[in-house]
Amino acid sequence: IFFFFSPLEGRSKFYDLVIDASETTPRYFLLWAKVKAGGAQTDDVCHALWVDSSGKRGAVNASGAAENQCWD
């Protein structure tokens, strides 16, 4: 089961959830949580967060540059 937004319940949705199909294989996935446009997180430094099947994770700001503080 895969949901396309978070949180699942409640009125305010903060992130769109995306599985990067270009990176997905039977043994690998890349999942993105991207800030919903116009939502409460729009101005956050951590504009999009990602995690893959190996446990690696990262984040980018609104310009697409890597951010190191988002998972701390």
Side-chain angles (χ1 to χ4, degrees):
I1 298 175
F2 180 75
F3 301 100
F4 295 98
F5 48 82
S6 178
L8 184 58
E9 297 180 8
R11 293 180 188 208
S12 296
K13 306 303 179 199
F14 302 110
Y15 295 94
D16 289 320
L17 304 178
V18 179
I19 296 175
D20 189 340
S22 68
E23 298 287 332
T24 301
T25 69
R27 296 184 184 265
Y28 179 82
F29 68 83
L30 179 60
L31 174 66
W32 285 88
K34 298 180 178 184
V35 170
K36 280 191 97 41
Q41 312 310 105
T42 302
D43 294 326
D44 283 2
V45 172
C46 306
H47 196 72
L49 299 105
W50 61 266
V51 63
D52 71 13
S53 53
S54 70
K56 290 167 87 175
R57 56 190 185 177
V60 296
N61 61 29
S63 298
E67 287 292 336
N68 297 320
Q69 64 188 3
C70 300
W71 288 91
D72 295 333

